[in-house]
Amino acid sequence: MDTILDALQEGRLFELPENDKQHSLQFLAHIIEAFPHIPPGIDIVGNILNREKATNTALGKGWACPHARADFEEDLMCVVGWSPTGIEYGAQDSKKVSIIIMYFVPANQRNHFLREISIITKILISAPEITKIDSITNLNGVRNYLLDLISGTKGTEGSDTRAKMIKLQAKSTLPTQPIGDLSSLIIEPLTIIVTPGLKATVLTQNADLLSLFQETDEIAKQIEVEGSYQNSIWRIMLRHTITYQGNNLLYECIAVSDTRTVSIKK
């Protein structure tokens, strides 16, 4: 898998909803947490934010490359975020970041990750049109721009990349894989407050999610016991549990739905 190209080809390029650094990193990390390959209990958001506190991941020229690691074997995973206005990222060159390439690096993929970073570094050093991103106004334009940059890299990586782009174009005619097109995903943060003897309180900005929880307490109970809940529309995953005095519990969750599934159900 050539991860940058996979992300661009399979709909894992997203326009970031705001220009706040932490919120943008959380947004992309939540998307990775929704991948079906991710084992339960891995806190990608926390991993990303803690690593960012220790080391700023801005690469310069408006790009950043945060990543999280985990000790299990799987494919290298990647999502790409684009900020139209740029994000104050604390880069050494003081330039706002427009492109965030976020990786999740399983233990068996560290060499692959280093090769990906090598390609990105080569782009930033040698690409003549690296500043063109500032004039692009839509997501499809960003996607084409990034594909051109990657295919234009010189040397072994460049020829290898072009070959893989051809394969990816052919692959797009095949049935979508589980980690394929994620552009139709709805991703919502969700907080559940459980007080002994009382009905669970749910904090969410999504009306459908709120209605789902108002129908029954069984969802909160299942999340408490199994760490997740899934019906035909929503998949809800537990990220953190905080225990307060009086056995009060707070569950921080992420809820994921696919708009294509929702439209079919309606």
Side-chain angles (χ1 to χ4, degrees), residues 15 20 33 38 47 56 91 107 143 157 182 218 226 238:
E15 181 173 342
D20 179 85
E33 285 184 343
I38 302 294
N47 193 316
N56 191 298
R143 175 183 177 276
E157 291 96 337
L182 300 175
E218 295 303 315
E226 300 181 11
L238 177 64

Side-chain angles (χ1 to χ4, degrees), residues 236-266:
I236 302 172
M237 296 161 285
L238 177 64
R239 291 187 52 246
H240 296 294
T241 301
I242 303 174
T243 303
Y244 292 94
Q245 294 295 323
N247 292 323
N248 294 304
L249 298 173
L250 185 147
Y251 300 126
E252 292 184 358
C253 305
I254 183 75
V256 180
S257 182
D258 192 318
T259 56
R260 293 169 299 186
T261 303
V262 173
S263 62
I264 291 173
K265 295 297 178 183
K266 290 181 178 180

Side-chain angles (χ1 to χ4, degrees), residues 13 82 136-145:
L13 168 65
W82 166 59
I136 300 177
T137 59
N138 61 78
L139 200 62
N140 190 56
V142 173
R143 175 183 177 276
N144 292 334
Y145 158 80

Side-chain angles (χ1 to χ4, degrees), residues 1-12 75-76 78 112 116 119 143 146-148 150-151 157-177 179-181:
M1 177 185 292
D2 194 305
T3 312
I4 302 174
L5 290 178
D6 281 347
L8 296 173
Q9 184 72 29
E10 298 176 353
R12 284 178 271 132
D75 284 333
L76 189 65
C78 172
H112 186 180
E116 292 267 306
I119 291 173
R143 175 183 177 276
L146 293 176
L147 286 172
D148 286 344
I150 295 168
S151 66
E157 291 96 337
S159 59
D160 185 53
T161 294
R162 285 190 289 275
K164 288 179 178 177
M165 284 180 68
I166 295 172
K167 292 180 182 179
L168 283 169
Q169 292 293 342
K171 189 175 77 171
S172 65
T173 62
L174 299 176
T176 303
Q177 300 300 313
I179 195 172
D181 185 359

